[in-house]
Amino acid sequence: MSRELEIVLNSIWPVLKAGLAVTIPLSLISFAIALVIAVITALVKLSNFKILKFIFSTYVWIFRGTPLLVQLFLVFYGLPKAGVTLDPWTAAIITFSLNTGAYASESIRASILSIPKGQWEAAESLGMTYWQVLRRVIAPQTVRISLPPVTNDFIDLVKGTSLAASITIAEMFMIGQQIVAFTYEPLAIYSLVAVIYLLFVSILTVIQGRLEKVASKYI
């Protein structure tokens, strides 16, 4: 057995373990928070509250217009200068949630806008309140329409968690860096990390496809 192959085989579990113990949980927690942020942001931007619309539109503009890595550095390394010190996990979750929430909010907002206004008017003519129309008529359709782009945002988030290595979180990429520093085999190890990311994303893509079929059938 060649040295490179032996190193790769010995590295599979440490990298995979980091993915299961850090990358996936970090992605799930951040995405759950991001969804809440996205829904609130989308609804506010569709409302008539001008001040709130301006605030949330500015938030989306900033987080969609600046690199995720810069956002991570600002939160983790920059905020201590302002007296706010966060541990790496908290900084990563806050940053990933706000970043993904900004992107997902536009998908949700566009999905709501794609629903014909006639459905709002028909529901209101039946005596439904605004929130009843939103919950019973608009929300189910919004879920179905926004599912593909929002799940794509989640997949992007999973890949984006590799940047957490820059703020000392030992996820897959950082474990790969540590192994490279010890073995001096960057091509083999980074290829392994890429393959495991590809495996995770492929599984998520299959799940996405099944969710879309369920949504189109039952929603």
Side-chain angles (χ1 to χ4, degrees), residues 25-39:
L26 179 60
S27 300
L28 289 173
I29 294 170
S30 299
F31 188 69
I33 298 172
L35 277 181
V36 176
I37 295 172
V39 171

Side-chain angles (χ1 to χ4, degrees), residues 82-163:
V84 180
T85 301
L86 302 172
D87 64 84
W89 265 82
T90 302
I93 290 172
I94 289 174
T95 306
F96 291 142
S97 298
L98 290 172
N99 181 275
T100 303
Y103 282 94
S105 69
E106 290 300 282
S107 299
I108 294 172
R109 185 175 70 89
S111 299
I112 295 174
L113 289 174
S114 70
I115 299 171
K117 290 185 178 180
Q119 295 192 27
W120 286 86
E121 296 168 354
E124 288 173 349
S125 69
L126 294 175
M128 290 186 182
T129 65
Y130 173 83
W131 291 108
Q132 286 177 326
V133 176
L134 194 64
R135 186 178 74 253
R136 297 178 182 178
V137 179
I138 305 303
Q141 297 182 75
T142 300
V143 170
R144 177 174 52 81
I145 297 169
S146 65
L147 188 59
V150 169
T151 48
N152 284 338
D153 290 332
F154 177 62
I155 290 173
D156 286 338
L157 173 60
V158 172
K159 293 183 290 184
T161 56
S162 61
L163 296 176

